[in-house]
Amino acid sequence: MGKNIVQKIFGAHLVKGELKKGEQVSLRVDEVYTQDATGTMAWLQFEAMGLERVKIPCVVSYVDHNMIQSNHMNPDDHLFLQTAAARFGAWFSKPGNGICHQVNLERFARPGWIALGTDSHTPTNGGMGMIAIGVGGLDAATVMAGMPFEMKMPEVVLVRLTGRLKRPWVTAMDVILELLRRLTVKGGVGKIFEYGGPGVSDLNVTERATITNMGAELGATTSVFPADDRTAHFLRAQGREKDFSALGADDDAGYDDVVEIDLGSLEPLTAQPHSPDSVVPVREVAGRKVNQVCIGSCTNSSYQAMRAVASILRGKRVAEHVSLHINPGSKQVYEMIARDGSLSDMIAAGARMLEASCGPCIGMGGSPGTGHVSVRSYNRNFRGRCGNKDAFVFLANPLVCAAVAVKGEITDPSGTEIPVEEFSEPDTVIVNDNMLIAPLKDGSGIEIIKGPNIKDVPLKDPVGDEIRAEVLIKLGDNVTTDDIMPAGSQILPFRSNIPAISEYVFYNIDPTFAERAKKAKGHGGGIIVGGENYGQGSSREHAAIAPMYLGVVTVIAKSFARIHRANLINFGILPLSFSNAEDMDRIESGDVLVISGVRDALAASQQYRVTNATKGFDFTVVSDLSGRERDLMLSGGLLPFVKTRLS
Ligand code: MIC
Ligand code: SF4
């Protein structure tokens, strides 16, 4: 049988293991990139490994999240990252150069590569025909140290595209919203989505990247498109034609599953508050008054999308009661819309232009008011993520967003007379890399500068033989890492200071959590109980490190999201699943649970008997850790484990 794209790329990078679904595989990695909000931890961890230099061909450190600089903390982090990059041989993308995924697609991504990024939207690069996977900072640091990346071989699902999009009002965003509508936020767990079929040629690279970007919302490991003529065109425009190589699935390639989408059948869609899979046609919610519109982010920031947005705004006025924020994804796109006059059209219409950074997407400014409705061309609308848990965020394609900004209410512009121009991907772009700093040949003399907010990464003792701990909180399904460790302008600046940020764990759900956890820490620690898909969303390992710092010893859930599960293990928190999901109903917050023989069970059966000492009954839980993951748990986490291997 022929090979699919995933098998081809994995096969070319395989260090150990067999490419069979569910098998543990070790892969060689071509690129690692970090962003500032997760990168400070990654680089502190890399430093703690004691190496002279990164050991893989390409490492890039981006700064895009923590950009508000309301005090010393953000600029101190930026300087730390810049000096660490210089010291250890990485590229540095200065604040203002753009959002990591967009810049990486433009300047570094290559067909056939494997990249890891310390951000869950790293799969954006899958639009370029490469495997790009979001991981926690410590996993990234370990690979930068030269170790292969280990993972369980996911299922490969073919998304077969046919037909042509009904442009201009239906865009690539509607393709991924349709998949979310069908498959939900947990429909992609343990899967890679590989796109194929005749419809692929209808989409250019940045459109493909919109789809692979938001594939993260399916919980997928990653998503990938073939590398074809359109890929070659994109790379040529970037002056990088030498980075092109064609890549496609063999005609007789096999897949674990197939999903069919007729692009021509799609209409403008929107994800309603508060989940990216709560998708309906825009027309079904038309007429709802809107207070804010945000366009841009790493999901929808291509030059042609921005130009189309400008064409809708040209000569118009943003509605009186609407605040329109635009954050183009990269300096390249920003400079191009400035030079061609699109930026003037946006400003003239009344848009509030933001820098090329994450901004309102992660609540770094631009939060909507109480009870307000915000319509965004972004990828996540979890409650509270925008910086206000009493706001309502809808997600839609950027052209719909622009029409909504003018109209002042949710509107489906397709079939209306609203003027809009269509643009294809440009043949040439402005290449100006003056905010990208190349790695030094020898950085050994560079001093790494750490401001007062940058604290060492705390460590944990190896898991003990008995867990006797209190259930601190019991939650439902699809708990996000934004729920566990919120972002926003008040909290995000503490990303390099675990003691400080830990005060905010579960802050939007239960502000007493940190206090109670610290009390429980003195009596054996705390337990978190969750439902299905616990920890979906971001790669932020703070959602594991901060609870670990507060004394959380285990999370018992019905199931876990991939990146968060890995982060828990990396920081020595045991992820356990209920053998019988109904047992969750018998547990309450405040119960004390006792698990004996933990280390033996971990090393052998991975089945554990739990006694609810408060209510007096027993139940069983299981872990499904690989051999390496068990070793990590027994060593107290990945950092102590790696240090012993490197020394
Ligand atoms: C996000 O979109 O949730 C973030 C903020 O980019 C995160 C990373 C972070 O929390 O720093 C992600 O996607 O992994
Ligand atoms: Fe930044 Fe938002 Fe993209 Fe995350 S999803 S990288 S916060 S723009």
Side-chain angles (χ1 to χ4, degrees):
M1 189 159 52
K3 290 192 175 133
N4 57 44
I5 298 174
V6 176
Q7 287 165 335
K8 287 186 184 182
I9 301 180
F10 274 47
H13 291 80
L14 196 63
V15 176
K16 212 168 75 193
E18 247 191 290
L19 297 183
K20 279 202 192 133
K21 181 171 86 182
E23 292 289 308
Q24 206 63 21
V25 290
S26 300
L27 301 166
R28 180 177 56 76
V29 171
D30 304 291
E31 183 193 3
V32 168
Y33 67 87
T34 60
Q35 47 90 336
D36 56 318
T38 52
T40 48
M41 280 295 130
W43 285 102
L44 285 168
Q45 287 158 161
F46 183 80
E47 186 190 25
M49 290 175 192
L51 294 174
E52 275 306 304
R53 201 174 166 86
V54 295
K55 295 228 167 120
I56 59 163
C58 180
V59 178
V60 191
S61 173
Y62 292 96
V63 181
D64 50 8
H65 284 64
N66 259 319
M67 306 277 281
I68 289 190
Q69 301 185 211
S70 53
N71 54 35
H72 66 96
M73 294 190 224
N74 299 166
D76 283 358
D77 279 356
H78 302 172
L79 186 61
F80 163 66
L81 291 167
Q82 183 162 359
T83 52
R87 169 75 183 79
F88 294 123
W91 289 84
F92 182 69
S93 172
K94 286 173 72 180
N97 196 37
I99 304 174
C100 55
H101 312 302
Q102 170 98 15
V103 179
N104 206 71
L105 188 75
E106 292 166 357
R107 306 306 303 145
F108 291 96
R110 282 184 204 190
W113 261 16
I114 293 188
L116 303 181
T118 62
D119 190 286
S120 64
H121 292 106
T122 304
T124 311
N125 298 276
M128 179 67 83
M130 59 187 272
I131 294 288
I133 300 177
V135 296
L138 188 45
D139 275 323
T142 309
V143 170
M144 286 169 0
M147 298 204 167
F149 177 58
E150 289 197 24
M151 67 184 295
K152 219 190 236 174
M153 186 66 197
E155 282 180 32
V156 184
V157 179
L158 172 68
V159 185
R160 198 168 171 279
L161 303 178
T162 54
R164 295 268 174 270
L165 285 175
K166 283 194 238 140
R167 296 168 193 276
W169 294 111
V170 182
T171 79
M173 178 76 166
D174 300 299
V175 179
I176 188 65
L177 287 173
E178 170 64 9
L179 261 186
L180 278 155
R181 186 186 72 76
R182 292 198 209 166
L183 304 181
T184 81
V185 290
K186 41 182 201 288
V189 176
K191 297 178 185 165
I192 295 182
F193 290 90
E194 178 175 315
Y195 288 79
V200 164
S201 62
D202 187 43
L203 304 170
N204 59 41
V205 167
T206 46
E207 289 174 330
R208 296 172 185 182
T210 292
I211 295 172
T212 57
N213 169 286
M214 219 174 152
E217 274 48 76
L218 294 163
T221 303
T222 191
S223 308
V224 63
F225 272 84
D228 55 12
D229 293 351
R230 308 210 71 165
T231 323
H233 177 260
F234 180 90
L235 283 169
R236 208 174 308 118
Q238 295 286 340
R240 296 206 286 128
E241 50 272 71
K242 63 171 184 3
D243 292 343
F244 177 72
S245 51
L247 183 64
D250 294 335
D251 291 341
D252 55 345
Y255 294 90
D256 296 300
D257 203 357
V258 180
V259 179
E260 304 263 353
I261 297 186
D262 172 7
L263 297 175
S265 70
L266 299 177
E267 61 177 312
L269 298 172
T270 183
Q272 307 173 90
H274 298 283
S275 180
D277 62 1
S278 183
V279 174
V280 294
V282 171
R283 63 184 156 74
E284 277 185 21
V285 284
R288 183 133 180 206
K289 186 177 164 204
V290 167
N291 310 85
Q292 184 195 58
V293 174
C294 300
I295 299 176
S297 88
C298 63
T299 313
N300 278 298
S301 277
S302 69
Y303 173 60
Q304 53 283 9
M306 285 292 158
R307 281 195 83 180
V309 163
S311 79
I312 297 165
L313 297 175
R314 186 175 309 134
K316 303 271 180 8
R317 175 190 182 202
V318 172
E320 251 172 51
H321 56 277
V322 172
S323 182
L324 169 63
H325 302 254
I326 301 182
N327 57 329
S330 69
K331 168 170 175 280
Q332 180 178 87
V333 169
Y334 223 148
E335 191 175 343
M336 286 169 68
I337 60 170
R339 293 197 188 277
D340 74 13
S342 303
L343 180 60
S344 314
D345 291 331
M346 292 171 171
I347 293 171
R352 298 169 64 179
M353 297 307 298
L354 306 171
E355 57 182 326
S357 67
C358 301
C361 177
I362 191 64
M364 289 306 275
S367 296
T370 306
H372 284 187
V373 170
S374 176
V375 182
R376 301 173 163 210
S377 74
Y378 301 170
N379 51 31
R380 288 186 175 146
N381 60 346
F382 306 140
R383 186 193 287 277
R385 177 181 165 93
C386 60
N388 182 353
K389 60 183 183 343
D390 299 316
F392 300 89
V393 176
F394 290 79
L395 308 174
N397 82 48
L399 280 61
V400 167
C401 287
V404 169
V406 173
K407 190 115 195 256
E409 61 184 41
I410 297 186
T411 185
D412 177 354
S414 55
T416 67
E417 294 304 307
I418 300 177
V420 55
E421 284 173 46
E422 241 186 277
F423 298 92
S424 45
E425 215 157 52
D427 294 334
T428 51
V429 299
I430 297 177
V431 176
N432 175 354
D433 285 334
N434 64 2
M435 292 180 94
L436 261 183
I437 302 176
L440 294 175
K441 282 221 165 53
D442 175 9
S444 55
I446 302 286
E447 186 200 349
I448 299 176
I449 302 174
K450 291 183 193 157
N453 187 45
I454 300 178
K455 305 277 189 251
D456 288 342
V457 187
L459 291 177
K460 184 182 174 298
D461 290 334
V463 63
D465 212 31
E466 182 184 88
I467 289 176
R468 175 180 289 270
E470 179 189 330
V471 176
L472 295 170
I473 193 163
K474 184 179 154 184
L475 304 139
D477 292 346
N478 298 321
V479 168
T480 71
T481 47
D482 278 285
D483 293 326
I484 306 168
M485 188 72 263
S489 57
Q490 189 189 354
I491 306 175
L492 211 56
F494 293 118
R495 283 289 181 94
S496 33
N497 183 341
I498 297 297
I501 206 167
S502 67
E503 297 293 327
Y504 297 96
V505 173
F506 287 118
Y507 195 70
N508 288 334
I509 293 180
D510 177 356
T512 69
F513 182 91
E515 238 3 86
R516 292 189 294 108
K518 280 190 272 182
K519 271 201 203 114
K521 193 174 179 179
H523 314 278
I527 295 176
I528 295 169
V529 174
E532 301 279 6
N533 199 25
Y534 178 80
Q536 69 155 329
S538 145
S539 67
R540 63 192 71 153
E541 55 193 349
H542 303 76
I545 313 178
M548 177 271 266
Y549 180 79
L550 293 175
V552 170
V553 284
T554 173
V555 178
I556 309 180
K558 290 184 183 162
S559 64
F560 292 86
R562 177 187 62 90
I563 310 179
H564 186 58
R565 175 185 172 281
N567 286 337
L568 288 173
I569 297 168
N570 286 351
F571 289 94
I573 298 181
L574 189 58
L576 296 169
S577 310
F578 291 99
S579 303
N580 296 311
E582 310 82 65
D583 285 331
M584 181 169 164
D585 302 338
R586 305 200 282 162
I587 303 172
E588 276 170 308
S589 181
D591 290 357
V592 171
L593 305 184
V594 183
I595 315 177
S596 331
V598 176
R599 288 182 73 87
D600 285 348
L602 188 57
S605 67
Q606 298 210 63
Q607 300 212 357
Y608 313 74
R609 174 156 292 280
V610 187
T611 302
N612 186 326
T614 310
K615 298 218 163 61
F617 66 87
D618 286 4
F619 61 100
T620 55
V621 294
V622 294
S623 58
D624 64 342
L625 276 60
S626 67
R628 176 179 180 265
E629 289 171 340
R630 294 184 207 192
D631 289 346
L632 302 190
M633 280 304 308
L634 295 168
S635 322
L638 182 54
L639 196 53
F641 175 80
V642 171
K643 274 177 142 174
T644 54
R645 302 279 147 127
L646 293 174
S647 57

